[in-house]
Amino acid sequence: MDLLLQNLINGLAIGSVYSIFAIGFTLMYSVLGILNLAHAAVFTWGSFAGLFFATALHLPPYIAFPVAMTASGILAVAIDYLVLRPLRTRRADQLAPLITTFGAMIVLTSLAQIVTDTQTMRYPPEFLPDRMFYLGWLQITEIQVIMIVSSVILTFSLNFFLRRTKFGKAVRAVAISEPVSLLLGIPVNRVIALTNFIAGALGGGAGVLIGVAFNAVT
C-alpha cells in the first residue's frame, strides 16, 4: 500500500506538469481549430531556455522560470506569425496547418540538436531544490511540491483570465466563432497572438519543470 501511495504521488507530480502542456495545446486548438504539432518543440525549447538562463546568465529559479516561459510564449507567437497566419489568410484547408506545424516541429528540433550537439545537459546543483519531506513512509521532494503547486497556480490563473477578464472573454468568443467576433469588433489577430503566447508560455514552463525534475535536458 505504501508503494502504491508513493507511486501515486510521483505520478501526480509528473502528471500535473504534463497537464500544463496539455492545457496550452487545447487552448490553441479551441481558438484556432487546428492541431499545432509544433507545440512539442516549444516545450523542448522552453526547457533549453530555462537551462540557458540558469547556467549562462546565472539567474535564480524564481526569475529563470518566468523568463523562460516568456521566451517560449514569444516563440509560439513567432511560429503562428510565420507559419499559420499566411494559411489563415489564404483560408487553407485544415490539413495544411497540420503539415506545416509538423514541419516547423522538425526544423525547431533539428536546430536544438545542432545547438546542443545532441548532448544531455544538466542544471547547476545550486539551481535544483533538494529538500525532502516525509509523510510517514511517504517521501515528497521539494521539486515535486513545486511542480504540483505551479500547475495548480497556472491552471487557476488561466481559468480566472478566461472567465473574468475582458480579453479572456474575447478569447472565448473567438473560439466560438471567428467571423462573429470580427463583426463585434474583437481584434481577432491580437486574440490569436495572445492565445499562442499563453499556450507557448505554459508549454515552456512545463518543459522547464520536467528538465529540473529529471535534471536532464536533451
Side-chain angles (χ1 to χ4, degrees), residues 28-88:
M28 283 193 294
Y29 179 77
S30 65
V31 175
L32 302 178
I34 62 169
L35 295 174
N36 187 347
L37 300 182
H39 193 56
V42 175
F43 173 89
T44 300
W45 274 97
S47 189
F48 279 117
L51 181 67
F52 171 78
F53 295 131
T55 55
L57 301 183
H58 305 288
L59 297 179
Y62 58 87
I63 296 180
F65 182 66
V67 172
M69 290 183 64
T70 302
S72 302
I74 294 173
L75 176 60
V77 173
I79 293 172
D80 177 75
Y81 184 81
L82 297 174
V83 176
L84 296 176
R85 182 174 290 190
L87 297 178
R88 289 197 300 270

Side-chain angles (χ1 to χ4, degrees), residues 199-214:
L202 292 174
V208 174
L209 290 173
I210 289 295
V212 171
F214 294 101

Side-chain angles (χ1 to χ4, degrees), residues 68-200:
M69 290 183 64
T70 302
S72 302
I74 294 173
L75 176 60
V77 173
I79 293 172
D80 177 75
Y81 184 81
L82 297 174
V83 176
L84 296 176
R85 182 174 290 190
L87 297 178
R88 289 197 300 270
T89 303
R90 291 163 42 195
R91 299 187 181 278
D93 59 67
Q94 291 187 345
L95 185 60
L98 190 67
I99 296 173
T100 53
T101 55
F102 182 73
M105 179 188 69
I106 293 175
V107 170
L108 290 171
T109 303
S110 299
L111 287 174
Q113 292 174 333
I114 293 172
V115 170
T116 64
D117 197 26
T118 66
Q119 299 297 310
T120 299
M121 307 173 71
R122 304 188 187 281
Y123 286 88
E126 62 272 12
F127 189 86
L128 302 173
D130 57 359
R131 284 188 293 177
M132 186 78 71
F133 305 100
Y134 294 91
L135 294 175
W137 291 98
L138 301 179
Q139 299 179 0
I140 304 176
T141 63
E142 186 177 358
I143 181 57
Q144 287 177 326
V145 174
I146 293 173
M147 293 163 72
I148 295 172
V149 171
S150 297
S151 67
V152 171
I153 291 175
L154 290 173
T155 300
F156 277 95
S157 297
L158 179 62
N159 181 70
F160 178 83
F161 170 78
L162 292 176
R163 293 184 177 275
R164 300 296 182 183
T165 67
K166 182 178 180 180
F167 222 96
K169 293 177 181 179
V171 172
R172 293 163 58 196
V174 173
I176 295 172
S177 176
E178 183 178 327
V180 173
S181 298
L182 283 170
L183 292 175
L184 294 174
I186 296 175
V188 172
N189 285 332
R190 286 174 57 192
V191 170
I192 291 175
L194 178 64
T195 301
N196 278 279
F197 178 83
I198 294 174

